[in-house]
Amino acid sequence: MTEQYSNLKSLCILRLSAIGDVCHAVAMVQQIQKHYPEIKITWVLGKVEYRLLQDLPGVEFILFDKSKGWQGYRELRQQMQNRAFDVLLHMQVALRASIASLFIPANIKIGFDKARAKEGQWLFTNKTVEAQDNPHVLDGFMAFARAIGVVTEAPHWLMPHGEPDIAFVGQHIDDSNYVVISPAASKAERNWHAHGYAQTADYLTKLGYQVVLCGGPAPLEIELAQAITSLCQQAPLNLVGKTSLKQMLAVLERAQLVIAPDTGPAHMAVTVNTPVIGLYAHSNPERTGPYLYRDNVVSVYQQAIEQQQGKPLAQIPFGTRAKGELMHLITFDMVQSQIDQIMGK
């Protein structure tokens, strides 16, 4: 531990969104708590993400509602009055987060190294984490813990959900031998097509698994789930839009397997040690894939990005996103092969 942080008493974390990213951040927070058991942690967080993390042990949350515009900043400033933190971990490069950091009183404000401090984040911090070559998002977050003297370990999670959430599973899912498909990401281009999901659901049913669809209440998610169900030979249990985030976490925890594109529930499943088959075309799964299960990923990213950039993957900047309608490049046979490998069929 560096002498500078040996008497660390209070810490503020600024990471507003999204669900997958805050799941990564929880692993970092809990390693900080292990190293500094008496530390007081305050986390400035988005209101949707708060619904998942609100009972996280030993963490005070301050909500920032970006939809309120400047009123949201005024409310943050008011909540920060008469406070002072030893350190701020500024873990989001979006300009709105950097503006929010101006209202968080801390002598030391740690941000990403300059190569990753996009949107001028480096202008709002006075220290940086170590530079890293091509890290997964979670590994990038762990650098913030190391910056304050924590010797980091392999990530593990203690996620907050209780008996009512666990009871929800028993009330709605009859068969404990089930697989979850969480078909929709926040952007439609990252979604696989309904036909592929339906083929996958029918295959899992033939293998003897109950299939459960999970997701949020957005119209895009509901419509995709309905389209999948209409194409299935045996309709899966459709819980899309019917769970809270904590109830969904409990559903994911008890599943035998989760199949999902680059979306929050995939990373939620990782936090409760449920194997994930991630479906990737637009982003590099080595950067954003389900952390513990990147070997399970079905990815056409390398094929797509090399074709678009006209050069080998090794010569393309890490994290470069592929563009356009690409998820159709994933075939059912690719997914079936991963299912068979994981489930031992």
Side-chain angles (χ1 to χ4, degrees):
M1 183 197 318
T2 60
E3 185 64 29
Q4 182 177 14
Y5 300 109
S6 60
N7 294 315
L8 196 60
K9 298 291 192 300
S10 63
L11 175 70
C12 185
I13 294 167
L14 176 59
R15 180 72 211 191
L16 304 174
S17 60
I19 292 295
D21 291 322
V22 301
C23 285
H24 299 325
V26 167
M28 181 212 70
V29 167
Q30 293 181 335
Q31 293 204 19
I32 292 173
Q33 290 174 316
K34 181 179 178 181
H35 188 91
Y36 294 108
E38 302 301 321
I39 196 169
K40 295 181 179 178
I41 296 179
T42 299
W43 188 338
V44 181
L45 186 68
K47 61 181 183 179
V48 173
E49 293 73 16
Y50 174 71
R51 296 171 193 161
L52 177 63
L53 301 186
Q54 58 185 297
D55 301 315
L56 198 66
V59 179
E60 171 201 23
F61 290 100
I62 291 179
L63 301 191
F64 178 78
D65 188 348
K66 65 181 181 180
S67 69
K68 291 184 176 181
W70 288 110
Q71 179 61 27
Y73 293 106
R74 285 190 287 268
E75 291 177 0
L76 177 62
R77 181 179 182 180
Q78 184 176 13
Q79 292 182 86
M80 287 294 173
Q81 286 181 351
N82 302 318
R83 290 173 178 257
F85 300 100
D86 293 331
V87 176
L88 167 66
L89 301 185
H90 183 354
M91 298 174 56
Q92 190 151 353
V93 297
L95 182 58
R96 69 174 179 275
S98 289
I99 294 172
S101 75
L102 295 173
F103 304 107
I104 300 174
N107 292 327
I108 298 173
K109 297 189 175 185
I110 303 174
F112 287 100
D113 59 282
K114 198 162 184 178
R116 290 180 289 158
K118 302 183 186 305
E119 297 193 35
Q121 192 214 37
W122 58 276
L123 294 169
F124 297 83
T125 61
N126 52 25
K127 291 189 179 297
T128 66
V129 301
E130 67 200 24
Q132 295 172 279
D133 292 328
N134 305 341
H136 188 279
V137 172
L138 189 152
D139 293 321
F141 286 177
M142 284 296 184
F144 283 86
R146 290 193 293 275
I148 58 171
V150 177
V151 178
T152 56
E153 305 169 347
H156 57 273
W157 292 261
L158 177 62
M159 293 294 286
H161 58 295
E163 289 301 324
D165 308 306
I166 295 168
F168 175 89
V169 180
Q171 292 163 3
H172 291 82
I173 303 175
D174 297 329
D175 187 350
S176 61
N177 196 38
Y178 67 90
V179 172
V180 169
I181 297 177
S182 183
S186 57
K187 296 181 180 179
E189 70 173 11
R190 283 188 274 171
N191 297 339
W192 200 28
H193 47 78
H195 182 67
Y197 283 127
Q199 281 183 289
T200 302
D202 285 338
Y203 181 66
L204 288 163
T205 300
K206 289 177 183 177
L207 293 179
Y209 297 101
Q210 181 178 11
V211 178
V212 179
L213 303 182
C214 275
L220 173 70
E221 300 191 51
I222 292 172
E223 290 167 10
L224 180 56
Q226 290 172 342
I228 294 166
T229 300
S230 70
L231 293 170
C232 287
Q233 295 175 10
Q234 181 172 327
L237 174 63
N238 185 0
L239 295 181
V240 173
K242 300 174 183 176
T243 66
S244 69
L245 282 170
K246 287 180 178 292
Q247 289 167 343
M248 189 190 301
L249 185 66
V251 170
L252 296 169
E253 183 176 37
R254 283 152 183 77
Q256 303 299 311
L257 175 69
V258 173
I259 300 173
D262 186 6
T263 185
H267 303 292
M268 290 168 61
V270 173
T271 70
V272 289
N273 298 308
T274 301
V276 180
I277 296 176
L279 309 179
Y280 279 71
H282 297 88
S283 60
N284 189 337
E286 287 304 311
R287 180 179 179 273
T288 63
Y291 188 83
L292 298 179
Y293 304 104
R294 282 170 283 174
D295 289 345
N296 297 349
V297 165
V298 174
S299 174
V300 294
Y301 169 77
Q302 181 171 350
Q303 168 191 345
I305 200 67
E306 288 183 344
Q307 183 175 18
Q308 291 183 7
Q309 298 284 325
K311 61 182 74 170
L313 182 63
Q315 297 177 16
I316 300 169
F318 187 71
T320 302
R321 291 185 62 83
K323 300 176 181 178
E325 299 296 327
L326 300 170
M327 290 294 282
H328 68 278
L329 297 174
I330 294 175
T331 67
F332 167 68
D333 288 344
M334 295 176 185
V335 178
Q336 179 185 344
S337 177
Q338 283 299 88
I339 292 171
D340 290 346
Q341 183 173 329
I342 295 165
M343 304 306 235
K345 300 296 180 182

